Amino acid sequence: MARVRLEHVTKRYDDQGDVVTAVDDMNLDIAHGEFICFVGPSGCGKSTTMETIAGLTIPTEGEIYIGDREVTNLPPKDRGIAMVFQNIALFPHMDVYDNISFGLRLRDYPQDEIDRRVERAADIVQLEGMLNRMPEEMSGGQRQRVAIARAIVREPDVFLMDEPLANLDAKLKVHMRTELQRLHKELDTTIIYVTHDQEEAMTLSDRIAVLDSGQLQQIDPPLTCYNEPDNLFVAGFIGSPSMNFVEGTVTETTLETPNFSLEFNPSSIEGVGVGDNVTLGIRPEDIYPGDLQSEVPDPSGMITATTDILEPMGDEIFAYLLLGDGETSMSQELATNDQLLMSIDPDSDLEEDEELGVVIDRRNVHLFDSATGEAIVHDLIPYEAEGTASSSEVESDD
């Protein structure tokens, strides 16, 4: 079974006398057959973590297990892994068959076994009829499929993929994401995939491991990371466009921000007290023009704003809203509290520099501790209408 475990893995480097911690006390348990994405900004430690799993670098502390074996100090060839890199690195003087079979021939596999594995891999990645082609005769996507086939023929316990789609154009990336999902379904093998592209992570993985500064911030299914981020970093990194953040203070009945207030019941939320400084998070799709207030499940009061910039995206329009006095210029840097990004219907007749009212769906408001960045709650609990029993109370009376 290709279960992968990291126990307290730490990797430090000596950078001209300064100690740099690339991976900090990493604990992961990846089940057999899972598709896991390591995602985070440049320098977050995702590639270093993969390199420790691959055996390309030895951790300073901690242990790594693949299946039932501890592999911490084993060389890559003895770990039962295969890697696909961002740089495709095919041999230009070899045809597709020879590129795919190269590793098997080095290990002196019988010719009939090499033929079987190459034909199976070519079928899986849809390279039938191309085995006699040279790399220069192939498109970027086809060359990447050759690199993947070269990994498949090894029949590894674990596939390690380090940004394999980074050099492809946008259309080809979307196609290859589909190919990788199909490949995972076909092989039923553990895949660990490194990317800085959170869209890739959301669409490909069973779970996302979000890293920052060498530390694991959250590991959960994509929609859990999106809807219930553990902290401000995950909330801001997962989702495109990013979540809006506004600083506020809790009162007995509201969340007060510099430009608006939201009514809610703080006494019903554990970890929230009057006077607390919190950060409100709201995604662009949970902000609505005021004329749609009746369609919002739990709308806030009306918030006055002015449209700044409109960005038509085809299936939606991103509307950048100014709060407060609604004035800005090229020489001014807007404070986070003075702006919101709203996603609206592409048929909207909203124009730039237009004053409007907007409402927020309080069910999807996230609160974070301003000091620690940790999540407190992922919806603002409204007040129950006085004298109205909840559904659970009605059921219990029956």
Side-chain angles (χ1 to χ4, degrees):
M1 297 292 285
R3 178 186 178 192
V4 178
R5 286 184 295 137
L6 278 65
E7 296 187 356
H8 302 288
V9 169
T10 296
K11 181 61 181 179
R12 300 188 188 94
Y13 293 100
D14 186 346
D15 182 15
Q16 297 180 349
D18 294 328
V19 176
V20 176
T21 302
V23 179
D24 188 7
D25 196 29
M26 186 74 66
N27 289 282
L28 283 173
D29 193 343
I30 301 170
H32 169 72
E34 266 198 298
F35 197 130
I36 293 286
C37 278
F38 293 168
V39 66
S42 297
C44 71
K46 55 187 184 293
S47 291
T48 304
T49 302
M50 175 172 281
E51 288 169 4
T52 63
I53 297 171
L56 300 177
T57 186
I58 303 299
T60 309
E61 299 170 9
E63 298 173 339
I64 299 170
Y65 296 84
I66 296 179
D68 295 326
R69 297 188 304 153
E70 183 188 348
V71 300
T72 312
N73 295 298
L74 288 181
K77 66 182 181 64
D78 296 330
R79 296 194 178 206
I81 56 99
M83 290 197 70
V84 180
F85 298 94
Q86 176 179 341
N87 185 353
I88 299 172
L90 300 181
F91 296 108
H93 62 288
M94 294 183 185
D95 62 18
V96 170
Y97 179 94
D98 287 341
N99 266 286
I100 294 174
S101 64
F102 181 75
L104 301 179
R105 289 184 282 115
L106 281 181
R107 291 170 176 80
D108 295 323
Y109 277 76
Q111 187 59 47
D112 59 346
E113 177 66 9
I114 292 175
D115 290 341
R116 183 191 70 81
R117 293 195 183 196
V118 171
E119 289 174 10
R120 175 174 177 267
D123 179 62
I124 290 172
V125 300
Q126 299 180 351
L127 286 173
E128 306 94 328
M130 301 184 189
L131 294 180
N132 293 324
R133 290 192 187 181
M134 302 301 288
E136 64 183 14
E137 300 172 331
M138 309 183 80
S139 68
Q142 289 170 337
R143 289 196 296 270
Q144 189 60 275
R145 291 208 295 270
V146 174
I148 293 171
R150 185 171 56 190
I152 291 172
V153 295
R154 295 195 58 187
E155 299 184 354
D157 295 323
V158 182
F159 281 97
L160 304 177
M161 299 188 176
D162 192 356
E163 304 207 50
L165 309 185
N167 293 332
L168 304 182
D169 62 55
K171 183 177 180 180
L172 192 51
K173 275 187 180 181
V174 173
H175 172 71
M176 287 303 299
R177 286 207 303 259
T178 304
E179 293 290 315
L180 289 174
Q181 288 173 306
R182 185 178 59 79
L183 173 69
H184 182 234
K185 187 183 298 184
E186 177 85 16
L187 296 177
D188 188 30
T189 303
T190 307
I191 296 179
I192 302 175
Y193 188 103
V194 165
T195 181
H196 67 279
D197 185 338
Q198 53 93 15
E199 185 175 311
E200 279 185 15
M202 292 287 290
T203 55
L204 284 172
S205 57
D206 297 317
R207 287 190 297 162
I208 298 175
V210 186
L211 281 68
D212 182 45
S213 300
Q215 296 182 329
L216 180 64
Q217 302 294 315
Q218 184 169 356
I219 178 165
D220 272 311
L223 288 181
T224 301
C225 291
Y226 186 83
N227 293 318
E228 300 176 16
D230 281 353
N231 54 46
L232 280 168
F233 177 81
V234 177
F237 191 83
I238 298 296
S240 181
S242 182
M243 184 182 287
N244 295 285
F245 295 117
V246 179
E247 299 300 318
T249 303
V250 177
T251 73
E252 292 184 352
T253 58
T254 64
L255 173 63
E256 293 293 331
T257 79
N259 293 298
F260 62 89
S261 62
L262 293 179
E263 291 187 356
F264 81 115
N265 184 4
S267 63
S268 62
I269 300 177
E270 184 178 352
V272 174
V274 174
D276 286 354
N277 294 321
V278 296
T279 301
L280 174 153
I282 186 73
R283 295 204 179 274
E285 63 267 27
D286 295 317
I287 304 173
Y288 298 82
D291 57 5
L292 298 179
Q293 184 174 21
S294 61
E295 301 175 19
V296 180
D298 185 21
S300 67
M302 200 70 67
I303 300 169
T304 301
T306 304
T307 57
D308 183 20
I309 301 295
L310 299 178
E311 291 184 345
M313 304 299 292
D315 60 341
E316 60 186 337
I317 297 174
F318 294 150
Y320 292 83
L321 307 177
L322 301 179
L323 306 177
D325 59 18
E327 294 181 1
T328 185
S329 69
M330 291 293 289
S331 61
Q332 291 176 312
E333 183 176 344
L334 280 170
T336 302
N337 293 333
D338 295 334
Q339 56 189 325
L340 291 174
L341 174 58
M342 175 175 66
S343 172
I344 56 176
D345 190 275
D347 296 326
S348 171
D349 58 2
L350 192 64
E351 297 182 355
E352 293 183 0
D353 301 319
E354 179 179 336
E355 187 173 302
L356 76 160
V358 299
V359 295
I360 291 173
D361 185 356
R362 290 184 296 184
R363 297 180 315 162
N364 297 318
V365 169
H366 309 260
L367 290 188
F368 303 90
D369 187 303
S370 292
T372 66
E374 296 300 310
I376 300 172
V377 72
H378 298 294
D379 68 284
L380 290 188
I381 299 175
Y383 290 100
E384 294 286 346
E386 190 171 346
T388 302
S390 67
S391 58
S392 59
E393 291 171 337
V394 172
E395 289 173 3
S396 63
D397 290 341
D398 292 340

